[in-house]
């Protein structure tokens, strides 16, 4: 399974694009999270590997932005495997291996739409990444004084 | 082959450490050896067992002496990297408390981080103010320093190494942030702390070898036990230690500043104690397993000294990641690092094996009986139960008109909707009723709200009052754990008692 982020703009949200694409290609996709309002929205979906290309293609044809996001960043220098984040994760993306080292499965994580673990890390080793390139928007606003 | 009556002395062990013949195992290895070969063999073969724990220990801090400025200053108030440090003694002696927070970055940066930064060799910003005296005329100072610039830098922790700790859950409807970290509503997660079978005190629960003067692993360097910790409660298996060590010799890997969201800052401390296996009894004690160590599952949503408990659980279950509470599977994870606890015990083992660390006999034993008293309080604080009164109720099949009459005759603003056994279903206010009548509605189900904010009888009234303000409402039905309605508390009750 591959996780993709589908972003709709204001115009596209009123059309049932996601349903159309998935039905048309008969792909069993799991919707991990959906945040949509009249101004636009984001859906994070899991797509079987073999259908990935055609689905991405189909969305892009309709003018929808599709990316394969990295949703979480864990600073392995900082993390000391306390375990505080583990039981909080709703999709079991965090686990403890035999050696008591905490491991993140970045493919499973649903990212900034969840972020439950982020403020539970006592050494602030976890950052959730805004998939919509939030940093870029920030930079354009920041002016040097 | 029996070891009966045979013992070993600390001096004998130290001889072996010096000659490189010492047999030292980590607590983890010792347990395996006892299980496979028995206590007799383990006693014969093993001289020392190393233990370890790595947890957030809030009652930690450091004493520093920063030297005299010219002209000199007798510090009154001081800050390091914006964190207030206290001034408990002479002119330039200061104490950095792990839980003091930087006012500009509360909950994110605090005394624990300052200690970590200093240990890591970072430069810190220092600021102080004073009244000015004839001998110490200066009234303010600003400078920077590293650990190499200051005189003493001693870690001084008055409660470390809790023998075991609670397992925390939250039965309320909202996320709570506690010193046991983030607890999701409806028992959706559980947290615990402590290293279980690796914990030093669990491996010598009678304090046979652990006492004042015992040399230990502290924060990556050598340290000493200087007494029992505050709240030491050994009979309940809640022993604690007071320890000190030269922080200049410690390592930032084993002392970590910590931030607990909406709670505060702290310091993770790595602490390990070597247990000399002086007799067969100690070999047996160091074989203790996680399955033999139990702790309480405690409901942290009730902000009282004695919080309700959901039974007991073993460290074996806790470390498995899944526990069962009232028939429900709950995912659990630790706050203290078991990986680092193991690393502490392994590092201490290698120090001893390499002849870098010898053992000490305690000069005095720690108390094995002590009671931990609650605070003497001279003022009573009100609880919900002391002001709540019977709720005016109705059932879901009643007509709005009937309910309206009840509101008038009983002269109340809130009617609590209950089922046939008295459990909470919803709430309606006089305002809902008035509007419904104006709109010609007759069925209660059209106006009743099901998302009811409630209170528990044993909650402090203050907390219930805050909840009303937060949700902008004027009454809370009081319910028990089964959701049975016990009464109601209103904002008038609160203002009558708390005068607001
Ligand atoms: S952000 Fe959410 S899904 Fe991702 S690891 Fe953290 S808790 Fe799990
Ligand atoms: S809470 Fe932070 S330090 Fe602890 S295991 Fe998770 S990422 Fe690592």
């Amino acid at each position: 399974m591959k996780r993709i982020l589908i972003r709709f703009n204001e115009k596209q949200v009123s059309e049932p694009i996601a349903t159309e694409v998935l039905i048309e290609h008969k792909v069993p996709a799991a919707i991990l999270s959906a945040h949509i309002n009249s101004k636009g929205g984001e859906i994070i979906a899991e797509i079987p590997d073999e259908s990935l290309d055609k689905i991405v293609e189909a969305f892009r044809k309709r003018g929808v932005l599709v990316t394969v996001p990295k949703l979480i960043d864990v600073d392995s220098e900082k993390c000391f495997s306390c375990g505080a984040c583990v039981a909080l994760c709703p999709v079991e993306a965090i686990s403890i291996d035999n050696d008591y080292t905490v491991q993140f499965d970045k493919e499973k994580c649903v990212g900034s739409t969840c972020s439950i673990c982020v403020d539970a890390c006592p050494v602030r080793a976890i950052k959730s990444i805004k998939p919509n390139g939030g940093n870029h928007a920030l930079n354009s606003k920041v002016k040097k004084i | 082959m029996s070891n009966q009556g045979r013992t070993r002395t600390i001096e004998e062990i130290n001889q072996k450490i010096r000659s490189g013949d010492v047999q030292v195992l980590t607590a983890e290895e010792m347990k395996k050896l006892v299980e496979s070969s028995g206590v007799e063999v383990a006693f014969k073969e093993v001289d020392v067992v190393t233990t370890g724990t790595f947890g957030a220990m809030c009652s930690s801090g450091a004493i520093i002496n920063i030297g005299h400025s010219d002209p000199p200053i007798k510090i009154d108030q001081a800050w390091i990297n914006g964190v207030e440090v206290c001034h408990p003694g002479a002119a330039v002696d200061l104490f950095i408390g792990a839980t003091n927070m930087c006012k500009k970055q509360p909950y994110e940066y605090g005394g624990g981080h300052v200690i970590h930064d200093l240990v890591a060799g970072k430069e810190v910003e220092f600021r102080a103010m004073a009244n000015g005296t004839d001998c110490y005329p200066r009234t303010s100072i600003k400078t920077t320093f590293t650990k190499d610039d200051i005189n003493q830098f001693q870690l001084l922790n008055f409660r470390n190494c809790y023998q075991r700790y609670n397992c925390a859950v939250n039965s309320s409807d909202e996320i709570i942030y506690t010193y046991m970290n983030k607890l999701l509503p409806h028992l959706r997660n559980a947290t615990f702390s402590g290293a279980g079978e690796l914990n030093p005190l669990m491996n010598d629960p009678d304090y046979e070898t652990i006492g004042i003067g015992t040399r230990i692993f502290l924060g990556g360097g050598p340290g000493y036990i200087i007494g029992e910790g505050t709240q030491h409660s050994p009979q309940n298996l809640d022993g604690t230690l007071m320890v000190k060590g030269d922080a200049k010799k410690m390592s930032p890997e084993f002392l970590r500043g910590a931030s607990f969201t909406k709670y505060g800052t702290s310091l993770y401390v790595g602490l390990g104690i070597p247990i000399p296996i002086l007799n067969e009894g100690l070999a047996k004690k160091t074989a203790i397993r996680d399955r033999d160590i139990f702790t309480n599952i405690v409901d942290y949503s009730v902000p009282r000294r004695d919080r309700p408990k959901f039974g007991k659980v073993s460290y074996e279950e806790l470390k498995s990641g899944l526990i069962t509470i009232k028939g429900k599977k709950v995912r659990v994870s630790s706050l203290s690092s078991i990986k680092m606890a193991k690393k502490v015990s392994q590092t201490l083992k290698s120090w001893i094996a390499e002849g870098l660390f010898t053992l000490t006999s305690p000069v005095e034993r720690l108390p094995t009986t002590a009671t931990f008293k609650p605070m003497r309080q001279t003022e009573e604080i009100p609880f919900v139960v002391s002001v709540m009164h019977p709720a005016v109720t109705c059932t879901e099949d009643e007509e709005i008109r009937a309910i309206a009459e009840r509101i008038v005759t009983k002269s109340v603003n809130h009617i609590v909707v209950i089922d046939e056994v008295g459990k909470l279903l919803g709430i309606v206010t006089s305002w809902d009723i008035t509007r419904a009548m104006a709109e010609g509605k007759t069925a209660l189900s059209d106006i009743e709200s099901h998302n009811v904010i409630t209170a528990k009888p044993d909650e402090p009234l203050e907390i219930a009052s805050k909840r009303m303000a937060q949700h902008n409402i004027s009454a809370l039905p009081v319910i028990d754990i089964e959701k049975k309605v016990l009464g109601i508390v209103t904002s008038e009750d609160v203002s009558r008692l708390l005068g607001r």
Side-chain angles (χ1 to χ4, degrees):
Chain A
M1 294 294 254
K2 280 273 166 357
R3 202 188 37 217
I4 58 168
L5 172 82
I6 312 159
R7 295 192 66 223
F8 301 97
N9 63 26
E10 201 168 337
K11 236 182 77 212
Q12 290 158 343
V13 280
S14 53
E15 301 161 26
I17 296 179
T19 330
E20 264 173 41
V21 169
L22 297 177
I23 290 178
E24 189 179 305
H25 294 271
K26 298 199 181 57
V27 170
I31 307 289
L32 298 180
S33 75
H35 286 249
I36 297 174
N37 59 33
S38 60
K39 293 218 166 59
E42 288 176 3
I43 292 179
I44 294 174
E46 259 183 359
I47 310 284
D49 292 2
E50 62 281 5
S51 324
L52 187 71
D53 291 345
K54 63 176 184 194
I55 292 292
V56 171
E57 179 64 29
F59 274 112
R60 290 196 175 144
K61 255 201 207 141
R62 289 170 164 81
V64 176
L65 199 73
V66 187
T67 47
V68 183
K70 180 182 165 204
L71 298 173
I72 200 156
D73 201 12
V74 183
D75 186 337
S76 55
E77 293 275 294
K78 276 191 183 167
C79 171
F80 64 108
S81 291
C82 67
C85 52
V86 178
L88 289 167
C89 180
V91 297
E92 303 194 15
I94 321 174
S95 58
I96 301 184
D97 69 13
N98 290 339
D99 182 32
Y100 285 100
T101 305
V102 170
Q103 306 279 7
F104 282 77
D105 183 341
K106 295 182 185 165
E107 304 254 303
K108 271 193 189 169
C109 167
V110 298
S112 63
T113 49
C114 162
S115 293
I116 288 179
C117 61
V118 174
D119 67 358
C121 175
V123 293
R124 307 298 189 230
I126 314 171
K127 298 263 174 310
S128 73
I129 301 168
K130 283 243 155 59
N132 54 16
N135 291 340
H136 186 77
L138 237 182
N139 286 340
S140 61
K141 267 189 221 156
V142 177
K143 278 197 202 122
K144 278 247 157 76
I145 314 168
Chain B
M1 172 192 63
S2 160
N3 301 312
Q4 213 160 27
R6 267 210 58 212
T7 55
R8 206 184 252 126
T9 66
I10 289 187
E11 204 27 60
E12 281 163 21
I13 296 174
N14 281 341
Q15 286 293 353
K16 286 172 130 187
I17 294 177
R18 283 184 211 107
S19 62
D21 301 325
V22 70
Q23 288 302 317
V24 44
L25 293 188
T26 64
E28 209 183 359
E29 293 160 344
M30 180 66 166
K31 293 166 210 301
K32 285 192 192 131
L33 179 67
V34 172
E35 262 161 37
S36 64
S37 312
V39 172
E40 279 182 26
V41 172
F43 168 64
K44 247 183 106 205
E45 289 183 2
V46 180
D47 300 310
V48 187
V49 170
T50 59
T51 58
T53 185
F54 193 90
M57 305 188 192
C58 288
S59 280
S60 297
I63 290 278
I64 56 172
N65 176 288
I66 58 170
H68 289 291
S69 59
D70 184 28
I73 182 167
K74 175 178 162 280
I75 294 168
D76 180 37
Q77 271 190 299
W79 296 263
I80 300 178
N81 285 353
V83 177
E84 184 156 16
V85 292
C86 84
H87 173 248
V92 290
D93 282 338
L94 299 165
F95 183 76
I96 310 167
T99 57
N100 264 5
M101 296 191 281
C102 172
K103 291 277 174 301
K104 286 199 192 121
Q105 287 171 271
Y107 308 101
E108 293 299 316
Y109 190 89
H113 299 88
V114 171
I115 293 171
H116 176 259
D117 284 345
L118 278 169
V119 168
K122 290 194 190 152
E123 189 172 82
V124 294
E125 277 176 28
F126 179 75
R127 193 162 60 82
M129 301 208 296
N131 299 318
T133 71
D134 289 343
C135 45
Y136 291 105
R138 196 142 177 183
T139 56
S140 76
I141 195 159
K142 241 180 163 175
T143 185
T144 62
F145 55 72
T146 68
K147 65 178 172 186
D148 298 328
D149 300 318
I150 58 179
N151 297 307
Q152 285 69 28
F153 176 24
Q154 292 282 340
L155 202 70
L156 178 60
N157 303 347
F158 31 99
R159 180 161 78 248
N160 272 187
C161 197
Y162 248 120
Q163 196 166 0
R164 55 176 189 153
Y165 213 80
N166 295 334
C167 167
V169 292
N170 166 18
S171 72
S172 78
D173 300 331
E174 284 160 69
I175 292 183
I176 56 170
Y177 290 88
T178 70
Y179 66 82
M180 291 300 282
N181 214 333
K182 191 171 181 174
L183 296 171
L184 303 176
H186 308 296
L187 312 179
R188 273 191 8 236
N189 75 321
T191 60
F192 73 100
S193 190
E197 64 185 23
L198 304 178
N199 176 285
L201 305 186
M202 274 299 170
N203 283 275
D204 181 10
D206 303 313
Y207 302 85
E208 269 184 75
T209 70
I210 296 175
I212 296 179
T214 301
R215 187 182 292 131
I216 61 172
F217 173 109
L218 183 61
Y224 294 89
I225 294 172
I226 56 173
E228 85 263 29
T230 53
Q231 300 186 10
H232 179 60
S233 184
Q235 304 105 300
N236 303 329
L237 297 180
D238 290 324
T240 72
L241 298 176
M242 197 175 291
V243 299
K244 70 136 253 176
D246 186 350
K248 289 191 181 184
K249 300 197 178 115
M250 295 182 188
S251 130
E253 188 188 4
F254 293 105
L255 282 178
R256 296 289 299 265
S259 317
F260 291 102
T261 303
K262 297 187 189 172
Y263 175 75
T265 58
S266 185
L267 184 70
Y268 272 85
V269 179
L271 193 158
I273 301 183
I275 314 282
I277 306 303
L278 303 178
N279 52 52
E280 224 176 84
L282 278 162
K284 193 166 173 207
K285 285 173 195 166
T286 53
I288 187 168
R289 298 311 310 253
D290 283 331
R291 58 176 174 269
D292 307 319
I293 305 171
F294 288 85
T295 189
N296 291 312
I297 303 171
V298 177
D299 187 353
Y300 276 69
S301 70
V302 179
R304 295 291 299 274
R305 182 172 59 216
D306 296 317
R307 302 174 208 267
K309 298 185 178 75
F310 288 114
K312 286 193 184 305
V313 67
S314 76
Y315 270 80
E316 184 172 42
E317 293 166 274
L318 291 171
K319 288 184 187 175
S320 79
L322 208 59
I323 56 173
T324 309
I325 305 174
K326 297 203 294 183
K328 186 183 157 175
K329 294 256 181 264
V330 180
R331 296 181 64 216
V332 59
S333 59
S334 101
L335 296 178
S336 56
S337 174
I338 294 160
K339 185 181 177 181
M340 288 300 292
K342 286 189 354 176
K343 193 157 184 189
V344 167
S345 69
Q346 286 154 3
T347 310
L348 182 54
K349 175 186 166 175
S350 66
W351 287 355
I352 295 171
E354 288 161 28
L356 304 169
F357 187 106
T358 53
L359 310 191
T360 58
S361 301
V363 291
E364 198 173 296
R365 292 188 62 183
L366 295 183
T368 49
T369 59
T371 40
F372 169 34
K373 288 181 286 199
M375 185 192 282
R376 168 170 177 246
Q377 280 166 293
T378 53
E379 272 172 40
E380 287 287 322
I381 83 143
F383 293 99
V384 167
V385 65
S386 42
V387 299
M388 71 181 200
H389 46 80
V392 178
T393 61
C394 70
T395 52
E396 263 182 341
D397 49 17
E398 286 187 71
E399 291 251 331
I400 286 188
R401 174 155 298 279
I403 300 168
E405 274 164 26
R406 202 162 311 148
I407 282 184
V408 175
T409 52
K410 306 267 185 182
S411 123
V412 290
N413 273 319
H414 300 86
I415 300 261
V416 181
V417 189
I418 54 171
D419 68 6
E420 60 287 352
V421 293
K423 285 193 188 178
L424 178 70
L425 291 175
I427 193 164
V428 278
T429 64
S430 53
W431 169 245
D432 297 331
I433 297 280
T434 317
R435 203 174 43 191
M437 296 198 16
E439 289 170 1
K441 289 184 180 149
T442 54
L444 179 62
S445 54
D446 290 341
I447 56 163
E448 164 191 8
S449 66
H450 291 285
N451 194 3
V452 192
I453 314 293
T454 59
K456 290 184 182 146
D458 51 3
E459 268 183 310
L461 193 56
E462 178 95 46
I463 306 251
S465 157
K466 270 197 196 147
R467 192 171 308 131
M468 281 190 239
Q470 196 186 335
H471 294 274
N472 200 15
I473 51 180
S474 54
L476 302 170
V478 183
I479 57 170
D480 67 10
I481 208 148
E482 248 99 57
K483 288 195 98 177
K484 273 223 175 97
V485 175
L486 306 172
I488 191 162
V489 53
T490 66
S491 51
E492 289 106 76
D493 301 331
V494 174
S495 42
R496 211 172 307 128
L497 212 79
L498 302 179
R500 63 175 77 125

